[in-house]
């Protein structure tokens, strides 16, 4: 089924009292929308399934202020894309991320914090209530495994963005809301523990079967991703309870996916991001979006099921009738440096980047936006294939986000194999062979290059930059090409090494905590 999160509105009230200083007075003051509460709701398997849908639901939240799509924000923070948009005053909060001049009151920062703690709160509530549920043990085990996977998913993004965050594992009473920040190690170890435990009871199926629900293979890949970031930034292994997660164990998990999961590369790279390929053989983990439940409310965008990223990134077409794209808002314009990184014979360039000269009307059919490079994302864009059939058009794009692709699994395995045994070149060669490129030696530099090209504009580059050189990585994006429009200063990005790439703790949360939460370094 395309959308696993239908009819979640009745669950919105659940879990809101459980996420510490991230709680919001406007929610606490609301009258419940029906007679169900956390005290009388969790009784049956049907209740638990609905609650689990509510946890999944948070994955897809986005809006035009404060909840912009996470992959797009990460691309903008990296050297692969600029903020873009209409003009210098259009999306200033995203421009702050682009120029690495993020203020603690930035709405995107506040939105990222709140979104992830909403998801964590819902997972915590469900996990606590499972003990008294009238259900079979198999159902309980499977549901607990999914909830732990999702909690780990939310915490991984949260701790990578902010580094110093409260670690909350149970619903909290109001007197407990003011929680201190945990050490990064404590958070990462808990992520590893949740994933190791989830792996045991999650199904060994592909997304083609599970249709968007977590699988054993997704948990194994997410654990490897967690390990590689933590090892790169902090130089240590993870401790998942009594289990040490080191490079060898992470590689073993990836090799299990490669050998036993049934996942594989699609024959044609250009087909990966087409609608027919959703939940396909290459997708180890996807976040599902849908246009099946048309949405109209600009005041509560994340109440719908649509993906805002295509609308944000689509070209500013004047007359869509002659084009293959609907008019978008030209955010996250790709850089010249990214375009030039592809070889001329690499088909991934055309599948990744839409060039203005490829449009039927060319540049003449474009409204020129800010930081116009002549390039747009091809992977998450306003292709008419995905054009919403009903509802407010901008709010109902159904493009699923391919969060973990099998190609990523192969490249993680290649990187870990360099230092933990295994044939790194086999994994690297398979990725290159799919697009007709000859083998190259499996060096770290070559694997880094391959990750950038294979996974470009999918939200992974920024995390890779941080883990490869956490404290000193420059993000140069000053190459101005012939199609660029604007002053050169619009394209000069200076990375602030003092902040180590982490975002500021939201000022609103510091204020609510009365100083219990401390600002991050460099802010």
């Amino acid at each position: 089924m395309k959308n696993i999160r239908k009819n979640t509105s009745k669950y919105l009230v659940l879990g809101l009292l459980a996420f510490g200083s991230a709680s919001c007075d406007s929610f606490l003051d609301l009258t419940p929308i029906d007679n169900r509460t956390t005290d009388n709701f969790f009784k049956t398997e049907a209740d638990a399934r609905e609650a689990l849908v509510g946890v999944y639901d948070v994955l897809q939240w986005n809006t035009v202020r404060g909840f912009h799509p996470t992959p797009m924000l990460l691309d903008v923070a990296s050297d692969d894309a600029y903020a873009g948009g209409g003009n210098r005053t259009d999306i200033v909060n995203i421009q702050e991320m682009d120029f690495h001049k993020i203020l603690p009151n930035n709405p995107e920062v506040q939105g990222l914090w709140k979104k992830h703690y909403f998801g964590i709160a819902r997972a915590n509530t469900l996990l606590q209530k499972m003990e008294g549920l009238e259900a079979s043990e198999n159902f309980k085990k499977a549901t607990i495994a999914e909830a732990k996977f999702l909690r780990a998913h939310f915490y991984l993004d949260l701790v990578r963005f902010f580094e110093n965050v409260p670690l909350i594992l149970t619903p909290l009473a109001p007197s407990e809301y003011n929680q201190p920040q945990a050490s990064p190690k404590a958070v990462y170890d808990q992520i590893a523990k949740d994933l190791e435990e989830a792996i045991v009871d999650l199904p060994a199926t592909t997304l083609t079967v599970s249709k968007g629900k977590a699988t054993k293979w997704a948990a194994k890949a997410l654990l490897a991703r967690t390990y590689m970031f933590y090892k790169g930034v902090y130089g240590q292994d993870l401790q998942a309870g009594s289990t040490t997660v080191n490079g060898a164990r992470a590689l073993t998990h990836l090799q299990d996916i490669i050998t036993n999961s049934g996942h594989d590369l699609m024959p044609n790279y250009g087909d990966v991001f087409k609608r027919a390929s959703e939940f396909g053989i290459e997708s180890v983990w996807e976040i599902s979006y849908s246009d099946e439940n048309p949405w109209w409310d600009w005041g509560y965008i994340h109440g719908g099921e649509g993906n805002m990223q295509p609308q944000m990134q689509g070209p500013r077409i004047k007359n869509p009738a002659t084009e293959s794209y609907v008019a978008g808002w030209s955010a996250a314009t790709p850089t010249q440096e990214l375009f030039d990184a592809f070889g001329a014979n690499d088909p991934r360039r055309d599948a990744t980047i839409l060039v203005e000269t490829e449009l039927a009307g060319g540049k003449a059919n474009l409204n020129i936006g800010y930081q116009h490079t002549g390039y747009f994302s091809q992977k998450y864009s306003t292709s008419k294939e995905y054009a919403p059939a009903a509802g407010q058009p901008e709010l109902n794009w159904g493009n699923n986000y391919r969060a973990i692709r099998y190609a990523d699994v192969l490249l993680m395995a290649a990187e870990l194999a360099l230092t933990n045994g295994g044939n790194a070149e086999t994994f690297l060669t398979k990725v290159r062979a799919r697009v007709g490129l000859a083998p190259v030696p499996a060096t770290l530099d070559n694997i880094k290059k391959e990750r950038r090209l294979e996974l470009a504009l999918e939200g992974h580059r920024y995390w890779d930059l941080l883990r490869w050189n956490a404290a000193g990585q420059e993000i140069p994006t000053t190459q101005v090409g012939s199609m660029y429009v604007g002053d050169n200063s619009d394209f000069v990005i200076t990375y602030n090494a003092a902040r180590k790439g982490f975002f500021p703790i939201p000022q609103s949360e510091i204020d609510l905590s009365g100083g219990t939460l401390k600002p991050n370094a460099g802010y």
Side-chain angles (χ1 to χ4, degrees), residues 112-129:
L112 288 167
W113 183 278
K114 290 179 179 179
K115 170 184 174 177
H116 289 84
Y117 273 117
F118 264 109
I120 290 163
R122 291 184 177 189
N124 285 343
T125 300
L126 176 57
L127 287 167
Q128 183 193 65
K129 295 296 183 178

Side-chain angles (χ1 to χ4, degrees), residues 323 325 339 349-350 353-362 378:
E323 306 294 351
Y325 302 86
F339 184 86
R349 186 175 69 183
D350 289 341
I353 299 175
L354 170 66
V355 183
E356 64 181 26
T357 54
E358 298 173 19
L359 296 170
Q378 187 81 279

Side-chain angles (χ1 to χ4, degrees), residues 9 23 28 67 115 122 168 200 203 225 230 236 257 283-284 297 388 419 431 457 480:
S9 60
S23 59
L28 297 180
F67 290 111
K115 170 184 174 177
R122 291 184 177 189
I168 302 169
V200 176
R225 179 178 288 178
Y230 185 74
Q236 299 177 341
I257 299 171
S283 288
V284 179
D297 189 354
T419 53
V431 174
L457 304 184
V480 179

Side-chain angles (χ1 to χ4, degrees), residues 168-466:
I168 302 169
L169 301 176
T170 59
L172 302 176
S175 61
E176 301 172 309
Y177 284 171
N178 199 1
Q179 293 288 313
Q181 290 143 303
S183 68
K185 177 173 174 52
V187 179
Y188 281 98
D189 283 349
Q190 181 61 47
I191 294 168
K193 183 173 184 291
D194 275 350
L195 291 173
E196 286 281 8
E197 292 174 354
I199 286 167
V200 176
D201 293 313
L202 285 172
T205 59
T206 64
L207 293 186
T208 305
V209 176
S210 75
K211 296 300 184 185
K213 298 184 68 176
T215 70
K216 185 185 300 291
W217 316 119
K220 284 174 173 278
L222 193 65
L223 179 57
R225 179 178 288 178
T226 303
Y227 167 78
M228 293 175 74
F229 187 84
Y230 185 74
K231 181 70 172 181
V233 174
Y234 301 99
Q236 299 177 341
D237 295 332
L238 297 170
Q239 194 64 37
S242 60
T243 301
T244 298
V245 180
N246 54 22
R249 185 170 182 83
L251 179 58
T252 297
H253 281 307
L254 294 173
Q255 289 172 324
D256 192 20
I257 299 171
I258 294 166
T259 303
N260 298 311
S261 71
H263 285 290
D264 203 349
L265 298 177
M266 294 188 65
N268 182 9
Y269 184 89
D271 291 337
V272 172
F273 293 88
K274 292 184 177 179
R275 192 164 202 156
S277 301
E278 290 183 345
F279 301 137
I281 194 170
E282 186 158 345
S283 288
V284 179
W285 174 236
E286 285 187 18
I287 295 176
S288 177
Y289 294 91
S290 176
D291 61 356
E292 294 176 4
N293 296 311
W295 193 253
W296 303 88
D297 189 354
W298 281 100
Y300 185 60
I301 293 174
H302 49 288
E305 307 289 343
N307 184 355
M308 286 294 294
Q309 188 166 352
Q311 182 64 39
M312 292 291 299
Q313 296 185 167
R316 289 178 174 266
I317 303 290
K318 291 179 181 178
N319 179 16
T322 61
E323 306 294 351
S324 299
Y325 302 86
V326 176
W329 298 336
S330 69
T333 49
T335 64
Q336 185 69 41
E337 184 186 35
L338 174 61
F339 184 86
D340 291 344
F342 289 95
N345 63 333
D346 191 336
R348 292 175 298 189
R349 186 175 69 183
D350 289 341
T352 299
I353 299 175
L354 170 66
V355 183
E356 64 181 26
T357 54
E358 298 173 19
L359 296 170
K363 189 173 183 178
N365 198 21
L366 286 174
N367 290 306
I368 303 303
Y370 181 58
Q371 292 176 313
H372 179 83
T373 64
Y375 304 128
F376 307 93
S377 172
Q378 187 81 279
K379 292 179 175 178
Y380 297 103
S381 189
T382 51
S383 168
K384 287 183 178 178
E385 175 192 22
Y386 270 106
Q392 186 67 31
E394 298 89 346
L395 306 184
N396 289 279
W397 291 96
N399 312 51
N400 281 7
Y401 171 55
R402 281 68 163 170
I404 304 176
R405 290 199 287 116
Y406 185 69
D408 191 3
V409 170
L410 291 170
L411 291 174
M412 286 193 291
E415 190 172 341
L416 286 172
L418 292 178
T419 53
N420 295 280
N423 192 338
E425 192 155 343
T426 297
F427 305 132
L428 178 60
T429 296
K430 184 166 185 176
V431 174
R432 292 178 59 82
R434 191 254 295 266
V435 290
L437 298 178
V440 294
T443 64
L444 181 57
D445 281 345
N446 282 338
I447 293 171
K448 286 180 178 181
K449 292 175 183 176
E450 205 64 34
R451 283 190 63 83
R452 184 182 194 184
L453 302 178
E454 175 68 29
L455 305 173
L457 304 184
E458 297 178 40
H460 304 305
R461 172 71 172 171
Y462 189 65
W463 300 138
D464 281 346
L465 289 174
L466 295 192

Side-chain angles (χ1 to χ4, degrees), residues 441-503:
T443 64
L444 181 57
D445 281 345
N446 282 338
I447 293 171
K448 286 180 178 181
K449 292 175 183 176
E450 205 64 34
R451 283 190 63 83
R452 184 182 194 184
L453 302 178
E454 175 68 29
L455 305 173
L457 304 184
E458 297 178 40
H460 304 305
R461 172 71 172 171
Y462 189 65
W463 300 138
D464 281 346
L465 289 174
L466 295 192
R467 70 183 178 86
W468 286 328
N469 193 352
Q473 175 67 50
E474 290 296 326
I475 299 183
T477 52
T478 57
Q479 295 185 38
V480 179
S482 60
M483 293 184 290
Y484 279 38
V485 175
D487 297 332
N488 282 3
S489 61
D490 293 333
F491 306 98
V492 177
I493 311 300
T494 303
Y495 177 78
N496 189 337
R499 298 176 175 180
K500 301 186 295 182
F502 297 112
F503 287 14

